[in-house]
Amino acid sequence: MLTNIMYVTICVTDQDRALKFYTEGLGLEKRVDYPGPDGRFLTVGVAGSPVEIILWSHAPASGQPVEARPGALILESDDLRKDFEVLRRRGVPFDQPEPEDYPFGVRIEAVDPDGNRISLRQQRRARRDG
């Protein structure tokens, strides 16, 4: 039986630039960084979370724009509007000027230096009556 998600991979063209964005920009922590037989194995993660994001070196396909590669990362915040202001001051680029309200909560997308989209979300809290 499957028990855990260990890694999620994001393809990047410059691992050092990506590491700076994900650690200094988004505030993730560097977990692993060592040379491997298939290239540098570099991971980051949210403090306290067991899931690691592999920043995998991958040159863009010839003639294919970087934007055509879909990103597949969703990060959760407990106060997205506050975190948005911190990230914006750090220079993280976003697809819109402010987070938006949705039925599930609040959402905005950041974009890493390779065009990968990182969806930042805050779930709507259940109202307590009484």
Side-chain angles (χ1 to χ4, degrees), residues 52-65:
E52 295 182 50
I53 301 162
I54 300 171
L55 302 176
W56 189 249
S57 182
H58 179 71
S62 177
Q64 180 182 10

Side-chain angles (χ1 to χ4, degrees), residues 63-75:
Q64 180 182 10
V66 173
E67 295 82 31
R69 279 199 329 265
L73 185 59
I74 300 172
L75 300 176

Side-chain angles (χ1 to χ4, degrees), residues 15-112:
Q15 286 177 305
D16 291 323
R17 179 180 68 181
L19 180 62
K20 183 175 180 176
F21 173 82
Y22 283 91
T23 56
E24 295 177 20
L26 292 181
L28 303 183
E29 61 185 22
K30 180 171 132 180
R31 300 270 181 87
V32 176
D33 187 357
Y34 62 84
D38 296 321
R40 181 180 178 192
F41 188 77
L42 175 63
T43 73
V44 295
V46 174
S49 172
V51 178
E52 295 182 50
I53 301 162
I54 300 171
L55 302 176
W56 189 249
S57 182
H58 179 71
S62 177
Q64 180 182 10
V66 173
E67 295 82 31
R69 279 199 329 265
L73 185 59
I74 300 172
L75 300 176
E76 185 175 22
S77 168
D78 58 1
D79 188 344
L80 184 56
R81 294 185 192 285
K82 178 181 170 187
D83 290 343
F84 167 76
E85 291 301 328
V86 170
L87 298 176
R88 188 171 63 171
R89 282 194 300 273
R90 291 180 185 165
V92 172
F94 292 93
D95 67 342
Q96 296 179 1
E98 296 288 330
E100 291 186 340
D101 291 310
Y102 285 84
F104 60 79
V106 182
R107 174 187 174 278
I108 193 161
E109 285 193 357
V111 182
D112 81 0

